[in-house]
Amino acid sequence: MSGHGLFVIEAMALGAHIQMQMQMPRINHQSGFTLVESMIAAVILAVGVLGVAGMQGISLTRNVDSTELTRATNLAAEMIERIQYNRKNIAQYAIDTSNATPCPQNAATQAMARGDCDQWVALLSNPQASGLVSVRGVIAVPATPVGTLATLLNQYPVTVTVSWTGAAGNTKVARAKQVVLTTTISPE
C-alpha cells in the first residue's frame, strides 16, 4: 500500500472519531444531592420531629386537665339535677363535704335529700369513682330567696362548687382547681 492510501484510512478513522464525538453529548451537569445538601435536609427534618415530640407532651397534659374538668363539671351538674328533682326541699341541700357531718339532713324526714347527700359525698370521697384527688364539694343554698324579684318569684340561687387538686406530671406541678356552677331553682 502506498503512503497515500494510508493517509486516506487515517483520515476516515479520524472523521469517524470526530463524528462520534459530535453525536455523544458531553455530560457537564451534575445530578443528585451533595453531602452538604443532605445534611441540611436532615437538620431541618430533625427540628420538625423534635417540635412534634414536644407538642405531644403538651397535648397529653392538656388532655388530663380537660378530663379532670369534665369529671368535676359532671359531679356538680349531677347534684344540681338532684336538687332540681327534689326542689320542694331545696333548703335541705346546704352541704359541705369537708365538715365532720357533711349531710345535716334528718334521714327520717328528709330521706331523699339525705340519700342524695350521702351518695354525693361517697362519690367525691372515692378517687377511683370520681377520678379526682382531694375533692371537696360545697353547695350554697340560702334559707330564703335573695332579692326582691327572687322573693316574689320564690327563686333560690344555688351554687355548687367542686374543688380538687389537679394531677401532677413530669412537667407540671399539682395545683388547686375548682368548678363553680350557679343556677336558680324555684320550689314547687
Side-chain angles (χ1 to χ4, degrees):
M1 220 174 183
S2 71
H4 180 53
L6 189 57
F7 178 71
V8 171
I9 292 175
E10 285 179 13
M12 286 176 49
L14 182 63
H17 179 67
I18 291 173
Q19 188 178 20
M20 190 186 304
Q21 282 184 347
M22 290 175 63
Q23 290 177 354
M24 298 262 312
R26 285 194 161 195
I27 301 175
N28 289 333
H29 305 348
Q30 294 181 356
S31 62
F33 293 104
T34 65
L35 182 60
V36 173
E37 290 170 332
S38 298
M39 290 174 63
I40 291 172
V43 166
I44 292 172
L45 180 65
V47 168
V49 168
L50 287 174
V52 169
M55 288 175 48
Q56 283 292 79
I58 292 170
S59 67
L60 181 62
T61 301
R62 297 297 179 231
N63 190 15
V64 169
D65 289 345
S66 66
T67 300
E68 288 177 350
L69 185 62
T70 300
R71 288 180 178 187
T73 303
N74 286 341
L75 290 168
E78 177 188 0
M79 201 57 195
I80 286 178
E81 289 174 10
R82 288 174 182 259
I83 295 169
Q84 207 149 15
Y85 184 74
N86 190 17
R87 67 179 133 226
K88 65 182 173 184
N89 296 313
I90 193 169
Q92 298 299 316
Y93 283 92
I95 300 169
D96 186 349
T97 60
S98 65
N99 288 343
T101 56
C103 300
Q105 303 87 355
N106 184 339
T109 59
Q110 299 295 330
M112 183 179 277
R114 178 63 183 244
D116 290 342
C117 181
D118 287 339
Q119 288 177 6
W120 198 54
V121 168
L123 187 62
L124 292 179
S125 63
N126 184 353
Q128 293 172 335
S130 67
L132 303 172
V133 178
S134 301
V135 185
R136 177 183 180 212
V138 177
I139 301 173
V141 180
T144 59
V146 178
T148 308
L149 185 59
T151 303
L152 291 173
L153 298 174
N154 197 26
Q155 295 179 334
Y156 290 80
V158 176
T159 302
V160 179
T161 305
V162 176
S163 306
W164 74 99
T165 303
N170 294 338
T171 59
K172 73 174 198 165
V173 178
R175 61 184 175 89
K177 298 179 181 181
Q178 87 176 34
V179 169
V180 178
L181 295 182
T182 303
T183 188
T184 303
I185 298 177
S186 295
E188 296 175 344

mmCIF file of all heavy atoms in Angstrom, residues 32 42 62 66 88 95 155:
data_model
loop_
_atom_site.group_PDB
_atom_site.id
_atom_site.type_symbol
_atom_site.label_atom_id
_atom_site.label_comp_id
_atom_site.label_asym_id
_atom_site.label_seq_id
_atom_site.Cartn_x
_atom_site.Cartn_y
_atom_site.Cartn_z
ATOM 1 N N GLY A 32 -28.308 14.805 41.438
ATOM 2 C CA GLY A 32 -28.298 14.197 42.756
ATOM 3 C C GLY A 32 -28.003 15.232 43.822
ATOM 4 O O GLY A 32 -27.893 16.426 43.547
ATOM 5 N N ALA A 42 -31.409 16.855 56.661
ATOM 6 C CA ALA A 42 -31.529 16.053 57.885
ATOM 7 C C ALA A 42 -31.721 16.944 59.107
ATOM 8 O O ALA A 42 -32.502 16.617 60.004
ATOM 9 C CB ALA A 42 -30.291 15.172 58.061
ATOM 10 N N ARG A 62 -52.681 18.656 78.569
ATOM 11 C CA ARG A 62 -53.973 19.336 78.374
ATOM 12 C C ARG A 62 -55.124 18.341 78.348
ATOM 13 O O ARG A 62 -56.230 18.640 78.791
ATOM 14 C CB ARG A 62 -53.967 20.162 77.084
ATOM 15 C CG ARG A 62 -52.956 21.273 77.075
ATOM 16 C CD ARG A 62 -53.268 22.281 78.168
ATOM 17 N NE ARG A 62 -52.282 23.334 78.156
ATOM 18 C CZ ARG A 62 -51.610 23.737 79.203
ATOM 19 N NH1 ARG A 62 -51.815 23.170 80.374
ATOM 20 N NH2 ARG A 62 -50.733 24.695 79.116
ATOM 21 N N SER A 66 -58.344 18.507 80.812
ATOM 22 C CA SER A 66 -59.727 18.552 80.325
ATOM 23 C C SER A 66 -60.557 17.395 80.875
ATOM 24 O O SER A 66 -61.748 17.550 81.145
ATOM 25 C CB SER A 66 -59.760 18.557 78.798
ATOM 26 O OG SER A 66 -59.276 17.338 78.282
ATOM 27 N N LYS A 88 -88.751 20.975 96.227
ATOM 28 C CA LYS A 88 -89.594 21.440 97.348
ATOM 29 C C LYS A 88 -88.819 21.426 98.667
ATOM 30 O O LYS A 88 -89.181 22.097 99.606
ATOM 31 C CB LYS A 88 -90.882 20.626 97.440
ATOM 32 C CG LYS A 88 -90.677 19.182 97.785
ATOM 33 C CD LYS A 88 -91.984 18.442 97.804
ATOM 34 C CE LYS A 88 -91.700 16.956 97.987
ATOM 35 N NZ LYS A 88 -92.883 16.174 97.934
ATOM 36 N N ILE A 95 -74.715 21.817 101.771
ATOM 37 C CA ILE A 95 -73.778 20.720 102.053
ATOM 38 C C ILE A 95 -72.348 21.222 101.922
ATOM 39 O O ILE A 95 -72.027 21.981 101.020
ATOM 40 C CB ILE A 95 -73.999 19.555 101.056
ATOM 41 C CG1 ILE A 95 -75.428 19.018 101.167
ATOM 42 C CG2 ILE A 95 -72.975 18.445 101.259
ATOM 43 C CD1 ILE A 95 -75.810 18.068 100.047
ATOM 44 N N GLN A 155 -87.618 32.237 94.077
ATOM 45 C CA GLN A 155 -86.453 31.638 93.428
ATOM 46 C C GLN A 155 -85.254 31.638 94.366
ATOM 47 O O GLN A 155 -84.962 32.636 95.017
ATOM 48 C CB GLN A 155 -86.093 32.404 92.155
ATOM 49 C CG GLN A 155 -87.157 32.303 91.087
ATOM 50 C CD GLN A 155 -86.770 33.105 89.854
ATOM 51 O OE1 GLN A 155 -86.022 34.070 89.944
ATOM 52 N NE2 GLN A 155 -87.290 32.691 88.718
#
